Amino acid sequence: MQLITTTDALAAFCDRLGEADYVTVDTEFMRERTYWPQLCLVQLGGPDEAAAIDALAPEIDLAPLYAVLDNPSVLKVFHAARQDLEIFFNKTGRLPNPLFDTQVAAMVCGFGDQVAYDTLAARMAKARIDKSSRFTDWSRRPLSEKQLHYALADVTHLRVVYEKLRDRLEKTHRSAWIAEEMAILRNPATFQVQPELAWRRLKPRNPSPRAIVVLRELAAWREREAQRVDVPRQRILRDEQILEIAAHLPKSVADLGHTRGLGKGFVEGKQGQVVLEVIARALEIPEAELPARERPAEALQVPGAVVDLLKVLLRLRCDAAGVATRLVASSDDLDRLAAGKRDVDCLHGWRAETFGNDALRLIAGELALALKGDNIELIDVVA
């Protein structure tokens, strides 16, 4: 089990992988006590070798690793890549490219919704993954042999999984489907943090325009403060506390002290002063300059029977195509289709070919579902 702890060893390893067609990648990180994920270990595998890279080693510079991730000639293979990509984006401001997510590919190949890596490893590589080290403290040193064995298994068996999925996609002519999904995953906007929009995560119920200002400014301040001191945002101010403050608009230290769970140190300290200043600014804004009240979400008139038929059609078409239903259309997509909306993802690209076009025909009365024995068949309706 190769553990890399120096820049020279990492550079030599990455030089060898620079000639590979693809590399497999995984990370181990901690984020329970920090705002930003703390990268502890990076597992990198080529066709013939794999290594664990100690990201916390005092004498290591990860630049050679980032060069491999940036290399357009080397495909980067992940499983359930989103959190790994978030880490690399935060570290470098860039996303690995090109990339391949075996979880998404498995959904396209009929392995179900969000299939786990150990399931794929068992079914495709005949490997058993010992998950007992999954939630260990990856920031502690030295790492145990058991931890390293677990970590490297995440990239060694991934090679077999990737190659078999790649072959299936080529055989079924679905490589373009994955390309569409990877283009979405490579969008930097997915991983960019915008403090000014953090208040929407709180999901306030029909807030007043003045409360919106307080929520927006307090949530943005909390986000920036959590980033600055690198602690989870809830340790600065909990969601329910922000909502309570915006609802009651305390004007003094004494008023703020009535907020449930706020300690005396916060209320009487610098952070409490910031909260009161945000509220004071909000109260000074003239009514004419306040943001408009948020319009309630569109109330869709959803015919339940139509949704039920669409669900049957979705299952039928996805079973026939060997693709996970969740990847093709969500429950919200079906509701919007039944309500007459057409701005849904399943009406575009490969999703339309798989399900969307038939869904429109079913809604228009041009297609019918018939039960014949134990099977459901699609029947073209003659006008």
Side-chain angles (χ1 to χ4, degrees):
M1 291 184 293
Q2 185 177 4
L3 177 64
I4 294 176
T5 60
T6 67
T7 304
D8 288 344
L10 177 60
F13 178 63
C14 291
D15 281 346
R16 295 195 296 274
L17 294 189
E19 301 299 319
D21 292 331
Y22 72 88
V23 293
T24 52
V25 191
D26 191 36
T27 65
E28 306 298 341
F29 58 90
M30 304 288 291
R31 70 182 314 166
E32 289 82 2
R33 298 183 295 272
T34 60
Y35 179 92
W36 305 107
Q38 180 188 18
L39 180 61
C40 300
L41 199 69
V42 180
Q43 302 94 279
L44 193 63
D48 303 311
E49 61 177 326
I53 303 161
D54 187 352
L56 300 181
E59 299 180 8
I60 198 164
D61 181 347
L62 297 181
L65 165 67
Y66 297 143
V68 172
L69 298 181
D70 290 337
N71 188 339
S73 300
V74 180
L75 179 69
K76 273 65 69 174
V77 179
F78 296 82
H79 182 82
R82 188 173 293 268
Q83 287 187 309
D84 303 314
L85 297 181
E86 177 190 1
I87 291 173
F88 292 130
F89 184 76
N90 290 336
K91 291 285 186 183
T92 68
R94 304 182 304 278
L95 290 167
N97 184 47
L99 64 89
F100 184 99
D101 190 326
T102 56
Q103 187 177 71
V104 177
M107 293 170 74
V108 169
C109 291
F111 284 88
D113 295 339
Q114 294 184 313
V115 60
Y117 171 66
D118 59 314
T119 300
L120 285 181
R123 294 178 62 178
M124 306 190 81
K126 308 303 179 186
R128 180 180 177 274
I129 306 296
D130 180 0
K131 300 175 68 176
S132 61
S133 296
R134 181 179 181 185
F135 295 111
T136 57
D137 186 347
W138 292 99
S139 67
R140 295 186 63 180
R141 295 295 181 271
L143 294 167
S144 69
E145 182 175 332
K146 187 175 183 180
Q147 283 179 302
L148 290 173
H149 183 80
Y150 165 82
L152 285 170
D154 281 349
V155 292
T156 52
H157 302 306
L158 189 57
R159 295 182 294 214
V160 177
V161 171
Y162 160 66
E163 290 178 356
K164 290 190 174 182
L165 287 173
R166 177 199 61 195
D167 293 345
R168 288 196 185 198
L169 291 168
E170 291 176 354
K171 185 177 180 179
T172 56
H173 307 290
R174 292 181 181 178
S175 298
W177 295 17
I178 293 298
E180 286 185 35
E181 300 308 303
M182 294 304 99
I184 296 171
L185 197 56
R186 287 198 310 268
N187 186 351
T190 304
F191 305 96
Q192 290 170 341
V193 177
Q194 296 180 281
E196 296 76 15
L197 300 180
W199 72 275
R200 295 184 181 276
R201 188 185 297 112
L202 302 174
K203 298 181 180 179
R205 294 184 178 180
N206 196 26
S208 69
R210 205 167 293 278
I212 289 175
V213 174
V214 176
L215 285 171
R216 184 182 65 203
E217 296 304 315
L218 276 183
W221 165 76
R222 181 182 70 168
E223 204 75 14
R224 295 189 183 97
E225 185 69 4
Q227 292 175 0
R228 185 183 69 81
V229 298
D230 195 19
V231 299
R233 62 177 68 88
Q234 298 289 339
R235 291 194 184 181
I236 302 295
L237 199 61
R238 297 200 304 271
D239 290 353
E240 60 269 25
Q241 291 170 333
I242 293 182
L243 290 167
E244 183 178 345
I245 290 168
H248 295 102
L249 299 176
K251 300 179 179 64
S252 67
V253 171
D255 293 341
L256 184 62
H258 292 147
T259 303
R260 184 174 181 177
L262 278 188
K264 184 177 180 181
F266 182 101
V267 172
E268 298 181 359
K270 183 179 178 180
Q271 293 176 319
Q273 186 60 40
V274 170
V275 170
L276 292 173
E277 289 172 358
V278 169
I279 296 170
R281 288 196 299 270
L283 293 175
E284 291 173 359
I285 298 175
E287 291 287 338
E289 297 178 14
L290 290 173
R293 183 183 290 271
E294 289 274 295
R295 295 182 62 184
E298 181 182 17
L300 297 176
Q301 299 298 317
V302 182
V306 178
V307 173
D308 290 341
L309 284 174
L310 288 172
K311 287 180 180 178
V312 174
L313 177 65
L314 177 64
R315 178 65 180 271
L316 185 66
R317 297 295 290 119
C318 288
D319 284 351
V323 59
T325 57
R326 180 172 178 168
L327 190 62
V328 176
S330 66
S331 295
D332 183 63
D333 288 338
L334 300 185
D335 286 347
R336 295 186 66 79
L337 281 174
K341 302 300 179 180
R342 298 297 177 258
D343 54 337
V344 290
D345 290 340
C346 64
L347 296 182
H348 303 284
W350 66 269
R351 291 179 174 84
E353 297 175 15
T354 304
F355 165 72
N357 294 337
D358 282 342
L360 292 180
R361 294 181 63 212
L362 181 68
I363 292 171
E366 299 171 359
L367 191 66
L369 300 173
L371 184 62
K372 292 192 176 181
D374 294 332
N375 300 315
I376 296 176
E377 295 185 1
L378 298 180
I379 299 174
D380 288 315
V381 177
V382 179

